[in-house]
């Protein structure tokens, strides 16, 4: 039975993007595929397999729960988890070869014997990461624990605040601060094999940030991370639906809640079976568009929980006809970037917001691997 709404994920696009990003990275740098948040809404395990097939050597996840999904899915690739409290099941991570990020002195002390850790320093994002004032003491303590054989410091890392804004002065300051942090760690006796700073924008536009490992997040899914810079990425997700009601209405017809859209002519209204419970932002009401029959059609009136209406004008539309909400942008369909602009947000929120009741359908030769 064909679903009335689905997210079609092109795993070949994910593999292509991985190869492209890996090729942009410095020759010595490995590539981490960031598959957190259910692979940015695309499906963690299928995306992880496609990225690994495309040349990624590491996987990045937020939580130990996400790391469990990776391992339970039979994927043994090196994996880093980086956001948790001090009481999580770190012992499970050690038993299953999952590296753990350390962002506070308390997290360091909570690491069990045998843990492989990546020390995260806050270089200016002022989000997660060890506070700059605590860094010297933390690396000294980590070096002591490593000498005792308690832990292994495999990496030192940080995260950029504005790499997607070329020329932003914070970028140079963070690079300088990261190099200072590495020097402090080296003075304490730490020589980690992996130093990593670059996110998607850093991979594309900031070679100085590549070090030993780059982390591909949004770009992995085909969204260009810097406005105006085209790296050749392919968008991986197409959100589509089937018309479940079609009706011809006269001028002066109010559409959807509060009649905030009123027709000015004879026109065709098409009911799309997806709403804000599925990840269609309410801000697309009277603002967004979809593609029907190769033509853009505006969203008419308010987006509801389960459905919205598109004004198809004089198009000949029948029940079951395909509606493309967003896609690769090869035709008339909007892109996820356009949806994000209409919703006054970023593509990350649109992609990760596609609801669980929207089935994911996988296409591409990489799908045969899982």
């Amino acid at each position: 039975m064909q679903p009335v709404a689905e997210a079609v994920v092109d795993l070949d696009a994910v593999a292509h993007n991985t190869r492209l990003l890996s090729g942009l990275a410095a020759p010595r740098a490995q590539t981490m595929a960031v598959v957190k948040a259910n692979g940015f809404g695309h499906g963690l395990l299928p995306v992880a397999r496609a990225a690994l097939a495309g040349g990624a050597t590491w996987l990045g996840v937020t939580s130990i729960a996400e790391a469990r999904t990776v391992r339970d899915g039979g994927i043994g690739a090196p994996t880093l988890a980086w956001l948790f409290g001090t009481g999580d099941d770190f012992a499970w991570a050690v038993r299953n070869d999952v590296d753990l990020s350390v962002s506070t002195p308390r997290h360091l002390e909570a690491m069990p014997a045998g843990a492989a850790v990546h020390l995260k320093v806050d270089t200016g994002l002022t989000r997660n990461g060890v506070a700059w004032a605590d860094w010297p003491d933390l690396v000294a303590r980590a070096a002591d624990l490593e000498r005792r054989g308690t832990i292994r410091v495999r990496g030192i890392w940080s995260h950029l605040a504005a790499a997607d804004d070329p020329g932003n002065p914070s970028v140079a300051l963070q690079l300088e601060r990261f190099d200072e942090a590495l020097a402090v760690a080296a003075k304490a006796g730490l020589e980690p094999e992996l130093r990593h700073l670059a996110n998607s924008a850093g991979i594309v536009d900031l070679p100085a940030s590549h070090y030993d490992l780059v982390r591909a997040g949004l770009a992995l899914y085909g969204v260009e991370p810097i406005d105006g810079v085209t790296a050749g990425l392919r968008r991986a997700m197409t959100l589509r639906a089937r018309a479940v009601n079609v009706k011809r209405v006269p001028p002066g017809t109010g559409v959807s809640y509060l009649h905030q859209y009123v027709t000015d002519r004879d026109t065709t209204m098409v009911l799309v079976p997806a709403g804000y419970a599925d990840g269609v932002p309410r801000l697309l009401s009277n603002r967004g568009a979809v593609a029907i029959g190769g033509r853009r059609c505006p969203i008419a009136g308010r987006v509801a929980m389960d459905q919205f209406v598109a004004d198809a004008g004089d198009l000949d539309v029948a029940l079951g006809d395909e509606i493309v909400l967003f896609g690769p942008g090869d035709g008339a369909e909007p892109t996820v970037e356009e949806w994000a602009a209409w919703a006054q947000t970023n593509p990350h929120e649109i992609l990760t917001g596609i609801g669980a009741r929207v089935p994911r359908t996988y296409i591409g030769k990489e799908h045969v691997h899982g």
Side-chain angles (χ1 to χ4, degrees):
M1 183 175 66
Q2 192 170 39
V4 293
E6 64 179 337
V8 181
V9 178
D10 183 352
L11 295 177
D12 287 350
V14 173
H16 162 82
N17 296 334
T18 308
R19 284 190 292 270
L20 187 151
L21 295 164
S22 297
L24 292 175
R28 65 175 291 172
Q30 299 182 58
T31 299
M32 174 184 287
V34 178
V35 294
K36 65 181 182 178
N38 193 31
F40 282 54
H42 293 65
L44 190 157
L45 291 174
V47 164
R49 295 184 183 112
L52 292 168
T57 54
W58 277 81
L59 299 176
V61 297
T62 299
S63 65
I64 291 176
E66 289 178 336
R68 283 182 181 270
T69 299
V70 170
R71 293 293 184 257
D72 290 347
I75 299 175
T79 300
L80 173 66
W82 55 67
L83 190 66
F84 29 71
T86 56
D88 282 36
D89 192 356
F90 301 130
W92 176 90
V94 172
R95 291 194 304 271
N96 289 275
D97 296 322
V98 172
D99 286 22
L100 298 166
S101 178
V102 167
S103 290
T104 73
R106 286 188 60 189
H107 281 87
L108 179 61
E109 299 304 329
M111 291 295 108
V117 303
H118 297 227
L119 307 178
K120 186 174 187 181
V121 57
D122 183 359
T123 55
L125 182 58
T126 317
R127 202 174 63 178
N128 206 5
V130 177
W132 187 252
D134 293 334
W135 183 249
D137 288 343
L138 183 127
V139 294
R141 176 61 173 157
D144 179 60
L145 291 171
E146 186 170 67
R147 283 191 295 268
R148 295 168 182 262
T150 304
I151 65 169
R152 176 187 176 189
V153 179
R154 195 197 305 269
I156 292 176
W157 70 302
S158 191
H159 196 62
L160 293 165
D164 56 342
D165 180 22
N168 191 298
S170 73
V171 176
L173 291 173
Q174 282 196 264
L175 284 166
E176 181 179 346
R177 181 59 64 90
F178 189 61
D179 284 336
E180 290 179 26
L182 293 173
V184 171
K187 187 175 180 180
L190 292 178
E191 297 181 357
E193 64 188 79
L194 296 174
R195 304 161 300 160
H196 49 112
L197 180 63
N199 56 2
S200 290
I203 297 171
V204 170
D205 197 52
L206 195 62
S209 69
H210 292 181
Y211 294 93
D212 308 303
L213 177 72
V214 297
R215 304 186 304 269
L218 182 66
L220 190 72
Y221 306 95
V223 178
E224 300 286 355
I226 303 173
D227 288 343
V229 177
T230 301
L233 302 168
R234 287 165 44 189
R235 298 179 186 91
M237 182 186 287
T238 297
L239 185 63
R240 66 188 185 187
R242 300 280 170 182
V244 295
N245 201 333
V246 180
K247 61 186 68 171
R248 193 75 177 167
V249 301
T253 300
V255 181
S256 196
Y257 290 126
L258 298 180
H259 288 179
Q260 293 179 339
Y261 187 95
V262 179
T263 61
D264 59 3
R265 67 205 187 288
D266 290 325
T267 190
T268 297
M269 291 290 144
V270 179
L271 189 62
V272 184
Y276 56 76
D278 306 295
V280 180
R282 291 183 75 240
L283 278 172
L284 265 65
S285 302
N286 285 332
R287 183 181 296 173
V290 298
I292 304 174
R295 196 176 89 184
R296 284 204 178 184
C297 300
I299 292 175
R302 283 197 176 185
V303 173
M305 183 180 291
D306 313 298
Q307 57 201 287
F308 65 89
V309 179
D311 187 342
D314 293 325
L315 285 175
D316 184 13
V317 186
L319 286 178
D321 281 359
E322 182 178 272
I323 302 133
V324 182
L325 283 68
F326 64 76
D330 297 330
E333 79 277 5
T335 64
V336 68
E337 294 96 321
E338 289 179 282
W339 265 44
W342 291 328
Q344 299 174 20
T345 185
N346 60 17
H348 313 60
E349 185 174 5
I350 300 296
L351 294 171
T352 59
I354 303 304
R357 69 179 181 177
V358 178
R360 272 63 170 173
T361 301
Y362 296 97
I363 61 173
K365 66 179 177 11
E366 292 303 335
H367 182 46
V368 301
H369 300 295

